[in-house]
Amino acid sequence: MSDLKHIPVLRDESIQGLAIRENGVYLDATVGFGGYIEVIADQLSSGKVIGIDADQHALSLVEARLSSQLSEGKIILKHSNFRLIEQVLAELRINTIDGIVADLGLSSMELDDMSRGFSFKDNAPLDMRFDISSDGITAADIVNSYSQEDLANLFRDLGDEPFSGRIARVIVEGRKKGNITTTTEIVNLISSIVPSKFVKKSIHPATRVFQALRMEVNDEIGALNSLLASSLNLLNSSGRLVIVSFHSGEDRIVKNTFREWKAQGFVNILTKKPITPSEIELGANPRSRSAKLRIIEKI
C-alpha cells in the first residue's frame, strides 16, 4: 500500500499545532490509516494517544501496521464515532487530555475502496457508511426515499451544488423506473443534466452530490458539533484542538465556534487565518485542495 495513504493532509502543520509533550495524553479523533497517531506516538515517552474511528476496517489495518507501538501502550485504539469522545475517554477512565486532532475528510483508503460507494470512478453499491456494521441509513436509502425538495436542499446545503434542483428532479424521475442502487446510476443521472460548459476538468460533475450524500449518511455536521462541545470540556489548560476541514460549511462551524469561545474567554485562536496546503502538497495530493486547518489553545 502506498505511503501516501499514511500521510493525512497538512500532517506536519497539524502535529506542530498540537505542541506535543512527551508525557501528554492526546486523542486522534479520525485515525484513518494512522498518519497522525503514528507521528504523535513517536514523540511520546510516558504519554499516550487514543485513536478512534467509525471504520472498523481502518482500525484493523492500523492495529496491524502499528503493532509495536500498541504493545508498548503508547497507542490505544477504539471503534467509535468522534461524537462520542467523552464516552470513549470515560470508559478508559481519562478525564482530561492535552490535545485533540481531527481530520474531517474522507481518507484515501476509504475513497479507493470501491465496495463502499464513496467514489464515482467505478460501479459500486450506494452505501457510504463509515461504520458498515451500523444499522444507519445508506446513500441508496436517501436517494430512493427523500422528497425532491429534501434532495435539492441536501445537495445545495451540504454539496454547494448549483444544479441541486435539476439533479433532485432527475433522481426522482429516475427512481420511478426502479430503486437506484449503484454509484453508476447516480453518476449517469447527474451527467445527463449538468450542462457541459459548467463541467470543470478538475472536478467531476458528481463530486458535490457524492459529498452531500456521504455527509448526510454519516450525520457529519451533527458529529462535528458534538466533537466541538466535548473538546472544550475535555481539554486541559493549554490543551490544543486541531481541526482540518474540507467543506465550507464545516469550516464555517469551526471558525464561528472558535470565535465564540475566544469572545467568552475560553481559548486563544492560534490561526488568525486557516492554514492551507502548500503548492508542493497540492501537487502531490490534489485531493487536499479544499483543506483548511484551524487551531485553538484552551486558556
Side-chain angles (χ1 to χ4, degrees):
M1 194 170 286
S2 169
D3 286 342
L4 286 175
K5 292 183 173 36
H6 301 181
I7 305 176
V9 174
L10 294 167
R11 182 193 64 182
D12 294 344
E13 295 87 343
S14 298
I15 295 298
Q16 183 178 2
L18 278 176
I20 297 168
R21 298 192 289 270
E22 64 179 15
N23 63 342
V25 179
Y26 298 90
L27 175 75
D28 180 352
T30 50
V31 169
F33 202 59
Y36 288 136
I37 203 168
E38 179 178 19
V39 178
I40 295 170
D42 283 342
Q43 297 186 32
L44 300 176
S45 56
S46 59
K48 66 182 64 176
V49 54
I50 300 94
I52 65 177
D53 205 294
D55 187 339
Q56 180 61 65
H57 178 60
L59 288 177
S60 298
L61 294 174
V62 172
E63 189 173 30
R65 193 170 71 82
L66 304 181
S67 58
S68 60
Q69 289 163 312
L70 280 160
S71 62
E72 293 170 2
K74 286 185 178 182
I75 293 176
I76 300 171
L77 296 178
K78 291 290 184 180
H79 178 218
S80 184
N81 189 291
F82 60 60
R83 71 193 315 151
L84 301 174
I85 58 173
E86 287 189 86
Q87 178 181 317
V88 169
L89 293 177
E91 291 172 356
L92 295 171
R93 297 184 179 181
I94 296 173
N95 297 319
T96 57
I97 52 180
D98 299 296
I100 300 169
V101 60
D103 178 335
L104 304 181
L106 188 70
S107 74
S108 294
M109 179 178 61
E110 288 169 324
L111 192 59
D112 293 339
D113 182 352
M114 295 307 168
S115 67
R116 306 288 289 278
F118 290 118
S119 174
F120 38 74
K121 291 182 179 180
D122 289 294
N123 196 24
L126 269 175
D127 193 318
M128 299 195 189
R129 289 172 298 166
F130 290 148
D131 184 358
I132 57 175
S133 67
S134 74
D135 295 325
I137 63 170
T138 66
D141 294 328
I142 292 171
V143 300
N144 290 300
S145 66
Y146 277 29
S147 69
Q148 182 173 320
E149 181 181 4
D150 287 343
L151 286 172
N153 291 340
L154 173 64
F155 301 150
R156 182 194 65 224
D157 296 342
L158 294 185
D160 298 323
E161 174 52 63
F163 298 102
S164 58
R166 293 189 191 184
I167 293 171
R169 184 170 63 252
V170 77
I171 287 175
V172 170
E173 288 299 315
R175 73 192 190 193
K176 289 178 181 178
K177 302 173 184 177
N179 280 351
I180 298 167
T181 60
T182 68
T183 56
T184 297
E185 289 175 88
I186 286 290
V187 169
N188 289 341
L189 289 169
I190 295 169
S191 299
S192 71
I193 57 90
V194 176
S196 58
K197 66 179 180 180
F198 291 103
V199 177
K200 297 180 181 179
K201 292 182 179 180
S202 60
I203 302 177
H204 192 282
T207 298
R208 296 183 180 92
V209 170
F210 271 62
Q211 172 184 273
L213 288 170
R214 188 204 78 220
M215 292 181 71
E216 180 76 354
V217 165
N218 298 288
D219 186 25
E220 294 179 42
I221 295 297
L224 172 59
N225 284 321
S226 296
L227 170 67
L228 288 168
S230 296
S231 296
L232 191 60
N233 293 333
L234 291 168
L235 285 172
N236 288 317
S237 177
S238 299
R240 301 279 184 91
L241 174 59
V242 177
I243 296 185
V244 180
S245 62
F246 294 80
H247 178 263
S248 60
E250 289 179 328
D251 179 62
R252 187 162 50 248
I253 290 170
V254 174
K255 177 181 68 175
N256 291 339
T257 300
F258 284 3
R259 285 178 175 176
E260 289 172 9
W261 289 349
K262 178 176 174 57
Q264 294 167 346
F266 296 144
V267 306
N268 288 318
I269 298 175
L270 305 184
T271 46
K272 292 183 179 179
K273 293 184 178 180
I275 298 170
T276 56
S278 67
E279 291 298 322
I280 294 175
E281 183 166 9
L282 286 170
N285 181 13
R287 291 174 180 170
S288 69
R289 63 183 177 270
S290 58
K292 292 182 178 180
L293 166 63
R294 297 184 186 271
I295 307 167
I296 55 98
E297 180 178 71
K298 188 174 179 180
I299 294 173

